[in-house]
């Protein structure tokens, strides 16, 4: 994995845009999870972004289990395909 692969992945994560709030049940199938370690001593020194399947058009995005928002499933699919390509190349 070179720096352009990492930059591409971070760009895809940064490009995720909320399409709505979650309500009801769903999000049980985790697709991918990222843990970010920040150089800080506050309560957000470690953040985990989890993307889970919601429905055919959306995925559930949550940071450290809170702030659940729906994001476009095709963007998450593109991101997971990038990750799979990194580890199968």
């Amino acid at each position: 994995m070179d720096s352009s692969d990492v930059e591409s992945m971070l760009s895809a994560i940064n490009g995720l845009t909320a399409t709505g709030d979650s309500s009801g049940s769903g999000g049980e199938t985790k697709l991918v999870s990222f843990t970010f370690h920040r150089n800080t001593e506050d309560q957000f020194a470690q953040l985990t972004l989890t993307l889970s399947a919601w429905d055919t058009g959306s995925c559930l995005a949550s940071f450290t289990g809170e702030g659940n928002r729906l994001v476009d499933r095709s963007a998450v699919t593109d991101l997971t395909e990038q990750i799979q390509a990194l580890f199968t190349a």
Side-chain angles (χ1 to χ4, degrees):
M1 175 182 333
D2 64 26
S3 63
S4 66
D5 294 329
V6 173
E7 287 176 23
S8 177
M9 218 172 22
L10 290 174
S11 178
I13 293 169
N14 193 39
L16 294 174
T17 304
T19 59
D21 292 324
S22 64
S23 62
S25 63
E28 290 88 14
T29 305
K30 186 188 304 183
L31 301 174
V32 66
S33 181
F34 299 93
T35 300
F36 301 94
H37 300 273
R38 298 178 58 222
N39 187 16
T40 182
E41 293 182 17
D42 67 11
Q43 68 183 23
F44 300 112
Q46 180 176 312
L47 294 169
T48 300
L49 170 63
T50 303
L51 301 168
S52 304
W54 184 261
D55 60 25
T56 58
S58 300
C59 287
L60 183 68
S62 64
F63 261 117
T64 315
E66 307 219 1
N68 297 335
R69 298 287 186 261
L70 298 177
V71 295
D72 183 64
R73 188 166 186 138
S74 64
V76 174
T77 300
D78 292 344
L79 175 61
T80 57
E81 287 174 355
Q82 284 181 10
I83 294 165
Q84 288 175 346
L86 289 174
F87 293 102
T88 59

